[in-house]
Amino acid sequence: MVKEVAESCVESVMMEMVSAYCNRFYANKPELAARRIEAIGYQVGHQLSERYTMERPRFTDHLDAIKFICKDFWSELFKKQIDNLKTNHRGTFVLQDNRFRWLTRMSIDPVPVIVTDSSQDPSSVGTTENKAEQATSMHLYFPCGLIRGALSNLGIPCAVSADMSNLPACSFVIRIKV
């Protein structure tokens, strides 16, 4: 019997987790919040990878494991495969999701800032966009942790980062540690 959780519940839990770590637990320390969110994703990814590979033979090379992440692992989580996989064949892989589900309802459009006082610090005008982008990027630490945890469980130590320059598209860059 397969157990499933409604997608809206997963999205709500993730949004609440990011909100709690960024606004309550580590409000003044965004790097600690990011590290903790990524660590939670790591644990979840590690456990899910264990579950999804229980009846499979071990992967013979890094590329097979990455293909598993792109096809099977991603399909289990997001009901679709990764849209594009690129590699330099030297330990760096780029996974492109053109419509990453957890970012489809987010926007980094800045709220218009109206300057009424000419003595206002000009460096504070662009901070609205930076804060919106930072808040959105906090939601990517969890899936980075998912990928890193899954690959760690498969015996592949790596570092994972994300790029969200064109929402809702997202790229995950995996660098295998040698």
Side-chain angles (χ1 to χ4, degrees):
M1 180 172 152
V2 177
K3 295 180 183 178
E4 291 190 10
V5 177
E7 186 176 337
S8 60
C9 292
V10 174
E11 285 183 20
S12 294
V13 167
M14 195 191 75
M15 290 176 75
E16 283 301 315
M17 174 187 60
V18 170
S19 175
Y21 278 95
C22 293
N23 300 327
R24 281 177 268 178
F25 303 143
Y26 301 109
N28 298 324
K29 299 177 182 176
E31 63 283 343
L32 288 177
R35 201 171 346 161
R36 186 64 189 130
I37 293 166
E38 197 269 348
I40 294 168
Y42 177 90
Q43 286 295 322
V44 172
H46 197 275
Q47 292 172 357
L48 288 175
S49 176
E50 183 72 29
R51 176 179 290 175
Y52 299 154
T53 60
M54 206 175 342
E55 297 177 12
R56 288 177 174 255
R58 291 299 266 178
F59 296 106
T60 56
D61 65 352
H62 297 321
L63 186 57
D64 288 339
I66 298 292
K67 285 180 181 177
F68 163 77
I69 296 294
C70 292
K71 293 179 181 178
D72 302 328
F73 189 77
W74 215 255
S75 293
E76 287 288 336
L77 293 176
F78 301 108
K79 307 297 184 234
K80 69 183 278 286
Q81 294 181 2
I82 284 287
D83 295 309
N84 196 359
L85 168 64
K86 296 178 185 175
T87 182
N88 66 357
H89 298 289
R90 284 177 267 151
T92 301
F93 300 88
V94 179
L95 285 60
Q96 175 75 36
D97 190 334
N98 294 330
R99 191 162 165 76
F100 187 52
R101 287 184 186 262
W102 291 347
L103 295 181
T104 54
R105 293 180 185 85
M106 294 188 187
S107 171
I108 56 172
D109 294 335
V111 177
V113 177
I114 300 171
V115 179
T116 56
D117 185 358
S118 61
S119 65
Q120 184 178 0
D121 181 15
S123 65
S124 67
V125 174
T127 59
T128 305
E129 183 175 343
N130 292 342
K131 286 183 181 180
E133 190 171 334
Q134 182 182 14
T136 303
S137 70
M138 289 303 251
H139 287 80
L140 293 176
Y141 285 103
F142 185 77
C144 285
L146 282 173
I147 295 168
R148 191 173 70 86
L151 288 172
S152 173
N153 184 52
L154 299 174
I156 302 172
C158 64
V160 180
S161 59
D163 175 39
M164 56 160 202
S165 56
N166 190 16
L167 290 179
C170 183
S171 297
F172 297 94
V173 179
I174 301 170
R175 290 182 179 81
I176 307 293
K177 294 180 181 175
V178 186

